[in-house]
Amino acid sequence: MKFLLFTFVGVHLLFLNSGKAIYRNDTLQRTFEEIKEEIAHYGDVAKAIIDLAVYGKAQNRSYERLALLVDTVGPRLSGSKSLEKAIQIMYQNLKEDGLENVHLEPVKIPHWERGEESAVMLEPRVHKMAILGLGSSVGTPPEGVTAEVLLVTSFDELQRRAAEAKGKIVVYNQPYANYSKTVEYRVRGAVEAAKVGALASLIRSVASFSIYSPHTGVQEYQNGVPKIPTACITVEDAEMMSRMVSRGSRIVIQLKMGAKNYADADSFNTVAEIVGSKYPEQVVLVSGHLDSWDVGQGAMDDGGGAFISWEALSLIKDLGLRPKRTLRLVLWTAEEQGGVGAFQYYQSHKANISNYSLVMESDGGTFLPYGLQFTGSDKARAIMKEVMGLLQPINVTQVFSDGEGTDIKFWIQAGVPGASLLDDLYKYFSFHHSQGDTMTVMDPKEMSVAAAVWAVVSYVVADLEEMLPRS
């Protein structure tokens, strides 16, 4: 929808992105050149944020805060006591940091536990395999599942060989193309194998690199299809079995999984704000998720994103800045199960959707940023390019397409502009959902740069005289 402008006596009629008109007793809608000039005036503020975050007293603060939490609590699986402990710690941290309206919003989230698990190759030789059960998987009987392997490289091959699958363990050795394409095997692998009569499925880890490291993640069952146990295996074992099969070897595996699903658990999205000075009802939302999988420390996914989001508000507060709109920090719960906490937040707050100028989520790592991914109208993208130009001092100025995030997708799909941080995804998916996701992956200087980007973008957008235009 194009912006429509009508002039009445002393009244400005502006059609907002929601399609609803509002009246403003101020100047007429400005040209893009005037908006560019307004953004340019934030150069000194952007420099102050960058200096504080990257070179000043706040240098490395987000890293140190994150290390304290994950070293204290560890991984934070949906439904676990460690997640709820982390939420309570963060609630206290945000209050002690002097942020406003710190509160917890209750939600219901899935509760699954992996239990003890193992996989042993019995033929053609004995080999203990490294595995990680996939989220919400059912367990095996106590004696496990022992069966011959049917190895395939694609869903198409599984369909072609469906007659061979009954009573077997289907092993997927799909090549890694990119995460969004290859993750379909993790998500749908068990269902597709069950449809052709398999007893269990093992999926090559969805990873860009492996040092014999299985990578877990969510998988989804389908109504009317038997639920079979499913786990991920290492890239190395998947490729080894592929070579064995190519030589004509028969492979037999014994799989044992103690996984259990429980009733939904109580949890919270954690919220804090810097209340806007002029339009407090309007919101720029910055976020990351506090939950993780139950391996490693959940430092990279998504401790880093959650903590640079907190850091963004801390930096702005420390500089005595208060934007015109409210800056709202949300630390999501149960993102890994499909944005469960975020969806309930959306349902509770969508009545005010016309007041959301921008939703931001960092959930792709906090390594040295390449720039910002953005989804929104052409006019909004042009404004974001000008905002990113303020980050020239740290050479992070690019605006890419496809701003995304499991937790903010509901808002984006409804037309709210959305932004996400883009950095080294090859590195990210090397450690993603694995035991390797620890503080060792994190770099304090890179986190400080990421926090500076997050703070500058969120503050400037929140302080502009007008909300970002929607389509």
Side-chain angles (χ1 to χ4, degrees), residues 431-447:
F431 299 99
H432 181 248
H433 295 182
S434 78
Q435 293 284 9
D437 182 358
T438 68
M439 284 304 299
T440 302
V441 180
M442 311 303 286
D443 183 294
K445 293 181 180 178
E446 292 181 347
M447 276 193 75

Side-chain angles (χ1 to χ4, degrees), residues 204-325:
R204 169 177 166 155
S205 287
V206 183
S208 51
F209 178 76
S210 177
I211 307 178
Y212 203 67
S213 50
H215 296 238
T216 189
V218 73
Q219 63 87 34
E220 297 175 357
Y221 289 124
Q222 192 177 103
N223 290 336
V225 179
K227 296 179 179 180
I228 62 174
T230 183
C232 59
I233 59 176
T234 66
V235 171
E236 292 86 345
D237 278 341
E239 292 187 343
M240 179 182 70
M241 285 189 280
S242 181
R243 294 191 299 272
M244 288 176 167
V245 167
S246 71
R247 301 183 193 114
S249 296
R250 177 178 182 265
I251 301 174
V252 175
I253 288 176
Q254 181 186 62
L255 175 67
K256 292 184 178 181
M257 294 176 60
K260 291 184 179 179
N261 288 281
Y262 298 91
D264 284 355
D266 294 321
S267 189
F268 304 92
N269 292 315
T270 308
V271 183
E273 294 179 337
I274 296 175
V275 177
S277 62
K278 188 173 182 181
Y279 310 117
E281 74 284 358
Q282 296 177 5
V283 175
V284 168
L285 185 148
V286 293
S287 68
H289 65 87
L290 201 53
D291 67 299
S292 71
W293 286 102
D294 56 336
V295 290
Q297 290 183 299
M300 180 192 72
D301 183 17
D302 181 35
F307 274 68
I308 68 162
S309 295
W310 172 20
E311 183 68 12
L313 269 68
S314 287
L315 292 166
I316 291 162
K317 175 188 65 68
D318 290 350
L319 288 168
L321 301 171
R322 185 177 292 276
K324 296 181 181 71
R325 280 171 206 85

Side-chain angles (χ1 to χ4, degrees), residues 10-273:
V11 176
H12 172 209
L13 173 62
L14 175 64
F15 276 79
L16 277 182
N17 312 327
S18 63
K20 298 178 180 179
I22 64 169
Y23 292 85
R24 289 241 307 265
N25 294 313
D26 56 15
T27 59
L28 294 179
Q29 183 183 8
R30 298 165 302 158
T31 66
F32 181 64
E33 289 302 316
E34 290 171 326
I35 295 173
K36 283 177 63 176
E37 184 178 350
E38 179 189 11
I39 293 170
H41 288 156
Y42 286 97
D44 289 343
V45 171
K47 186 177 185 300
I49 292 172
I50 291 167
D51 287 346
L52 179 59
V54 180
Y55 311 110
K57 291 182 179 179
Q59 183 182 20
N60 302 340
R61 182 169 62 185
S62 58
Y63 174 92
E64 291 163 0
R65 285 170 163 177
L66 174 62
L68 178 59
L69 180 81
V70 301
D71 289 346
T72 300
V73 176
R76 304 165 301 282
L77 183 64
S78 174
S80 69
K81 292 181 179 179
S82 59
L83 172 59
E84 297 317 305
K85 181 179 179 180
I87 290 170
Q88 293 301 324
I89 289 173
M90 288 306 302
Y91 172 74
Q92 290 299 324
N93 286 344
L94 297 173
K95 290 189 72 173
E96 291 170 7
D97 195 32
L99 298 177
E100 299 164 334
N101 295 337
V102 178
H103 64 280
L104 302 176
E105 299 192 5
V107 293
K108 287 284 189 179
I109 62 173
H111 180 193
W112 171 84
E113 296 178 6
R114 73 174 58 255
E116 297 294 321
E117 55 189 15
S118 65
V120 180
M121 180 188 294
L122 302 177
E123 298 179 29
R125 66 178 176 89
V126 175
H127 168 58
K128 186 176 180 180
M129 302 168 64
I131 68 165
L132 284 174
L134 296 177
S136 77
S137 176
V138 296
T140 65
E143 67 276 13
V145 172
T146 301
E148 184 178 349
V149 161
L150 173 65
L151 187 140
V152 298
T153 58
S154 68
F155 290 134
D156 287 343
E157 182 181 359
L158 178 64
Q159 291 305 311
R160 291 196 304 270
R161 302 178 65 186
E164 304 174 52
K166 188 173 182 180
K168 293 182 180 177
I169 296 174
V170 168
V171 173
Y172 293 92
N173 183 34
Q174 77 285 348
Y176 182 82
N178 55 56
Y179 183 75
S180 60
K181 181 177 180 180
T182 313
V183 75
E184 285 297 310
Y185 287 89
R186 191 192 74 206
V187 175
R188 295 171 44 211
V191 165
E192 297 304 321
K195 286 178 180 177
V196 292
L199 300 178
S201 64
L202 297 173
I203 292 95
R204 169 177 166 155
S205 287
V206 183
S208 51
F209 178 76
S210 177
I211 307 178
Y212 203 67
S213 50
H215 296 238
T216 189
V218 73
Q219 63 87 34
E220 297 175 357
Y221 289 124
Q222 192 177 103
N223 290 336
V225 179
K227 296 179 179 180
I228 62 174
T230 183
C232 59
I233 59 176
T234 66
V235 171
E236 292 86 345
D237 278 341
E239 292 187 343
M240 179 182 70
M241 285 189 280
S242 181
R243 294 191 299 272
M244 288 176 167
V245 167
S246 71
R247 301 183 193 114
S249 296
R250 177 178 182 265
I251 301 174
V252 175
I253 288 176
Q254 181 186 62
L255 175 67
K256 292 184 178 181
M257 294 176 60
K260 291 184 179 179
N261 288 281
Y262 298 91
D264 284 355
D266 294 321
S267 189
F268 304 92
N269 292 315
T270 308
V271 183
E273 294 179 337

Side-chain angles (χ1 to χ4, degrees), residues 338-354:
V340 175
F343 178 69
Q344 291 172 70
Y345 175 90
Y346 174 73
Q347 291 296 321
S348 297
H349 294 269
K350 65 182 180 180
N352 299 316
I353 194 167
S354 63

